[in-house]
Structure formats: C-alpha cells, structure tokens
Amino acid sequence: SRSGEGLGPTAEAFASVVRGADCAVAAVALSSAQRGTVFVACQAVPQVLEVGIADGVVRGSFKAGKLGLVQLASTGMGADDWLISACPGSALKVWHLKATSGGGGHMQETAKLAGPAETSTSLSLRCQSGRLLALCADGTTQVDVFSLDASAPPEGKQPAGAAIVLSAHEPILTAQFTDLKFAEGRASVLGCGPTA
C-alpha cells in the first residue's frame, strides 16, 4: 500500500529491509508454472524477491542493481526461468534461474544490455528458437529490441546494444511481444502510448 502499511507477506518481506511508502510493490513478473512463484520488486531498494504464490513465503532474493527497480519481465525456456530488470540510470540486466520446483535457487546475471536514456516504462522478454528476445520502452518514440543466444551470453564488460530499434510517430509507454507471428518464427511487438 502507498501508505506504508504492510499488506501480506510480500509487503512484510520488503518492510524488513526498508520502511515507509517506498516498500510498496512496484514491479511484478511471474515465474514458470512449475516454480509457482512470482518475482517482485519495490522502488526503495534494488532487491528482487521470489515469493511463493500459494503461501506468500519468500523463497529467495537477489540484488539487481544500485537503486530501486522500476521494471521486471520474465519468460521460460525449457524448464529454466529468465528475468530482465531495469534500474534507474543502469544497464538492463538479464538473469538466468535454473529449474527447481517450489522456487529458490541462485539467480545468475548472464548479460547486460544498453539501457535507454530515460527511465524504462516497459520491458518484455520472450524465448524463440534458442534465443532470448528482450525489448525496452522508455516513453519516447523508440523501442529497443535485443536478441541474445541463451546458451552463449555476450562477451565483454560493455552492455550489448539493441539488435533493432522500432520507431513510431507517438511516444510509446508500453510495448510487449505478442504471439501473433511466433508460430512462423517471427517476432511481433504491440506498443501503445498516451494517445493510443
């Protein structure tokens, strides 16, 4: 809750790290059905919690950056989970979590992606033909789309650049991959802004 009241075990977990209105959940991403968990983040701290859906128990956590998170997105590839996170003023980070039932386990950072100049307003992550496709919108007229080989993370310390940049005539606040052309091996993106 924005008033800083602890509502349920997830809010209580964040409240053990930080107090006040900033411990409200700000980003959520579902894990695979086998895990039965959800990844959650708040704006005050860069911790991502993995919380059981059925019981609300915190299964694990990891630090995703230096400042509080603004966006999360997840997808599954085989039995593994993948997550992308966006923190203000930082590169986007792609995380890999090996399959375990019931959640928990070690989240491993596998790639850094060149983040947008503005704060991210939307993330989406999909798997297609052994590749991870990630996109990031930031409220401007462009959406960055990244393509990564899931079995071979990018080398070097520099964040990987976008594979393509989609442009529109209006600002794009939210963008997501859709299933429209995935069966044909093509990626489709749906985006909208304040006037659409």
Side-chain angles (χ1 to χ4, degrees):
S1 117
R2 295 307 279 170
S3 66
E5 304 164 26
L7 298 177
T10 304
E12 291 169 12
F14 279 122
S16 69
V17 178
V18 65
R19 299 273 184 229
D22 286 340
C23 68
V25 172
V28 176
L30 289 172
S31 71
S32 61
Q34 305 93 288
R35 292 184 72 80
T37 61
V38 63
F39 300 102
V40 294
C42 75
Q43 292 178 341
V45 293
Q47 293 294 120
V48 175
L49 303 179
E50 183 181 11
V51 179
I53 294 172
D55 58 12
V57 172
V58 176
R59 305 275 198 269
S61 69
F62 66 95
K63 187 175 179 180
K66 295 179 182 177
L67 300 173
L69 262 72
V70 293
Q71 294 291 325
L72 290 173
S74 63
T75 193
M77 179 182 286
D80 295 350
D81 281 284
W82 295 83
L83 186 75
I84 185 170
S85 62
C87 292
S90 298
L92 304 173
K93 293 182 181 177
V94 178
W95 306 86
H96 181 215
L97 185 59
K98 294 278 187 194
T100 60
S101 75
H106 177 69
M107 185 68 79
Q108 177 183 357
E109 181 183 328
T110 59
K112 289 184 181 179
L113 308 176
E118 303 297 324
T119 300
S120 173
T121 59
S122 179
L123 295 174
S124 186
L125 191 62
R126 290 297 286 264
C127 297
Q128 181 178 7
S129 304
R131 298 197 66 77
L132 282 174
L133 301 177
L135 68 76
C136 178
D138 64 352
T140 64
T141 58
Q142 296 183 328
V143 174
D144 295 329
V145 180
F146 303 88
S147 178
L148 304 168
D149 183 344
S151 62
E155 295 180 15
K157 297 200 181 255
Q158 294 292 1
I164 60 172
V165 177
L166 305 175
S167 296
H169 297 289
E170 300 282 334
I172 301 167
L173 296 176
T174 301
Q176 297 291 308
F177 289 111
T178 70
D179 291 331
L180 185 63
K181 301 282 184 179
F182 265 68
E184 299 171 19
R186 296 170 50 192
S188 295
V189 175
L190 176 65
C192 64
T195 59

